Amino acid sequence: MGRPQMVSGSWLDGPGQAVVTTRFLKAAGIRVGDTVTLTEQGRQTSVRIVGEAFFTEGEGMELLTRTSTLAALGVDAQPGRYNVETKPGTDLAHYVTSLNAALDPVGAVAQANTGNTSDVIVTMDALIGMLTLMLVAVAGLGVLNTVVLDTRDRVHDLGVLRALGMAPRQTVTMVVTSVAGIGLLAGAAAVPAGVALHRYVTPLMGDAIGMTVPTSDIAVYHAPQLAMLALGGLVIAVTGALLPAISKGPVSDQQQ
């Protein structure tokens, strides 16, 4: 059975328990472990907040509890929707088709949850994506500018080496090798800084909407991804050095 991501505490494991969001806790002035009273047409029952979760249904102000808890209020609550989390590798289309065949006699319908993303999540994803592209562009242009200027400053030296008999391929190899260190250093310095910035900014985005972002949504970078990002500096540096190394070599050779 699907359930929202937990921020703190635990999921429901019995009657008389409830799970809410950070926004709910702040609005009610309570904490995980506190008890609240639910009222319905003169009936009352107490529930203990056992967990804090991240979800945006009902603007994050819904209280999740078991139907047995609501029965104490005289509410005949029946689930109107079930969220099913499939195992990794499951053929979703085949699973939905088989499930619909089994549910047809009772008039229920199963469908893949692919288009019900919350507007809040979509907005956060778009903002994160835009900030990421801006940071990548600024960082890439910074490294590229440094490499291009460094290579252009050495045009005369490259011309001398060409005049002394260095082959064009050797010239290009020398220039690319000389800037590789700059690219690796840029990647090694930028990746930890970027991860630290991500871990600082993402919780602030959640705070802006009164929600706490789960740790699993913040710690999203792993060793393979970090290694690829670090090599990005090397790729940018080499790309920036190739054009000046290739185009300026023949010109300098002719000038000699």
Side-chain angles (χ1 to χ4, degrees), residues 35 45 63 71 133 144 150-151 160 162 185 202 211 219-220 238-239 244 247 249:
T35 299
T45 187
L63 181 144
L133 291 177
L144 191 62
D150 179 69
T151 306
V160 172
R162 292 292 303 278
L185 180 62
T202 304
M211 304 287 279
V220 295
V238 171
T239 302
S247 62

Side-chain angles (χ1 to χ4, degrees), residues 115-173:
N116 297 322
T117 305
S118 166
D119 291 339
V120 175
I121 302 300
V122 172
T123 302
M124 291 181 67
D125 286 344
L127 182 58
I128 292 172
M130 182 180 66
L131 291 175
T132 300
L133 291 177
M134 291 176 62
L135 290 173
V136 169
V138 171
L141 290 175
V143 175
L144 191 62
N145 179 66
T146 301
V147 173
V148 171
L149 291 178
D150 179 69
T151 306
R152 290 180 64 87
D153 288 341
R154 299 170 57 190
V155 167
H156 181 268
D157 296 338
L158 295 177
V160 172
L161 294 174
R162 292 292 303 278
L164 294 176
M166 180 175 283
R169 181 178 299 179
Q170 293 175 320
T171 304
V172 173
T173 301

Side-chain angles (χ1 to χ4, degrees), residues 8-35:
S8 63
S10 60
W11 182 243
L12 307 172
D13 60 7
Q17 299 179 351
V19 170
V20 296
T21 65
T22 305
R23 179 178 291 180
F24 189 103
L25 294 175
K26 291 180 178 179
I30 57 178
R31 298 179 299 177
V32 173
D34 289 347
T35 299

Side-chain angles (χ1 to χ4, degrees), residues 65-214:
T65 187
R66 291 195 168 189
T67 55
S68 57
T69 301
L70 298 178
L73 295 173
V75 178
D76 184 19
Q78 296 296 328
R81 182 181 65 185
Y82 289 91
N83 295 323
V84 179
E85 183 177 354
T86 59
K87 295 181 179 179
T90 301
D91 186 341
L92 187 58
H94 176 71
Y95 177 80
V96 171
T97 301
S98 301
L99 187 57
N100 277 322
L103 294 175
D104 184 64
V106 297
V109 177
Q111 59 184 4
N113 185 20
T114 56
N116 297 322
T117 305
S118 166
D119 291 339
V120 175
I121 302 300
V122 172
T123 302
M124 291 181 67
D125 286 344
L127 182 58
I128 292 172
M130 182 180 66
L131 291 175
T132 300
L133 291 177
M134 291 176 62
L135 290 173
V136 169
V138 171
L141 290 175
V143 175
L144 191 62
N145 179 66
T146 301
V147 173
V148 171
L149 291 178
D150 179 69
T151 306
R152 290 180 64 87
D153 288 341
R154 299 170 57 190
V155 167
H156 181 268
D157 296 338
L158 295 177
V160 172
L161 294 174
R162 292 292 303 278
L164 294 176
M166 180 175 283
R169 181 178 299 179
Q170 293 175 320
T171 304
V172 173
T173 301
M174 183 192 69
V175 173
V176 170
T177 302
S178 66
V179 302
I182 299 177
L184 288 175
L185 180 62
V191 169
V195 172
L197 182 63
H198 167 78
R199 292 182 177 178
Y200 174 75
V201 172
T202 304
L204 293 180
M205 296 176 65
D207 292 340
I209 59 172
M211 304 287 279
T212 300
V213 180

